[in-house]
Amino acid sequence: MHRALLWLAVAWVTAISATSAPAQQNPPARKGVYSFGPDQTIADIGKMEWAPLQLDGLPPGIEIAVLRGDLAKGGGEILLRTPPKYVVPNHSHTSDETYVWLKGAFTYVAADGTRQKMEAPSYISLPGQSPHALECGDEPCVFYLRYGRPFDLHIHAMPPSK
């Protein structure tokens, strides 16, 4: 008798929870981004939609494609694409930053003005508050970025070249 009442109580609570819980909203599908289960993101970079990235301190021409997450909340992952010769000015972020450079030659400019020429594929990992600049070469550049904390952008004066 007690098991029957317990089962009935569990069934009743489950039924009420299922009908009173708000329906989960699926985020709108983005072209070229797929999910085949919880916390899965599969991206066909050649099919993604790009949008102009307009931030104070960034020259026009850079484009963004969001892979997953929310830059405002942290844990955001994005792709950026620049035209040839584009310069990302000397800047820093509060968050740690991870880059994987996918396409194009570029020059990394460190806080002290040291310049390092590199080509894709390349990897960059920076702790928060690390000033740096990036100069794209003669072809468009495409790179992946991940931020663990909410995104912010602090522009700094360009250091003299070393």
Side-chain angles (χ1 to χ4, degrees):
M1 176 75 175
H2 290 297
R3 281 189 189 199
L5 288 175
L6 180 59
W7 182 86
L8 185 58
V10 168
W12 181 73
V13 169
T14 303
I16 288 178
S17 297
T19 58
S20 63
Q24 286 190 347
Q25 297 280 336
N26 289 331
R30 293 181 310 274
K31 187 175 178 185
V33 179
Y34 312 97
S35 177
F36 298 98
D39 204 29
Q40 295 183 25
T41 302
I42 295 90
D44 186 337
I45 294 170
K47 294 181 179 177
M48 295 189 67
E49 292 185 52
W50 296 85
L53 178 59
Q54 299 173 338
L55 290 173
D56 287 340
L58 282 184
I62 193 168
E63 296 175 301
I64 186 172
V66 176
L67 293 166
R68 64 185 290 169
D70 184 340
L71 288 174
K73 294 179 183 175
E77 295 179 75
I78 61 173
L79 293 171
L80 292 180
R81 180 170 69 184
T82 72
K85 304 289 187 187
Y86 187 88
V87 176
V88 178
N90 194 31
H91 68 283
S92 64
H93 310 278
T94 302
S95 178
D96 296 349
E97 187 173 24
T98 301
Y99 288 80
V100 177
W101 209 274
L102 302 170
K103 179 183 175 187
F106 68 101
T107 300
Y108 175 85
V109 182
D112 67 356
T114 301
R115 302 169 67 78
Q116 179 63 53
K117 289 188 180 222
M118 301 181 74
E119 292 193 30
S122 296
Y123 173 82
I124 302 170
S125 177
L126 303 173
Q129 311 299 339
S130 297
H132 60 286
L134 303 160
E135 300 171 348
C136 188
D138 293 331
E139 65 177 288
C141 290
V142 176
F143 49 101
Y144 160 89
L145 284 157
R146 182 180 192 291
Y147 299 94
R149 294 184 180 159
F151 178 83
D152 57 6
L153 180 71
H154 307 281
I155 302 294
H156 307 282
M158 192 67 126
S161 293
K162 279 191 165 186

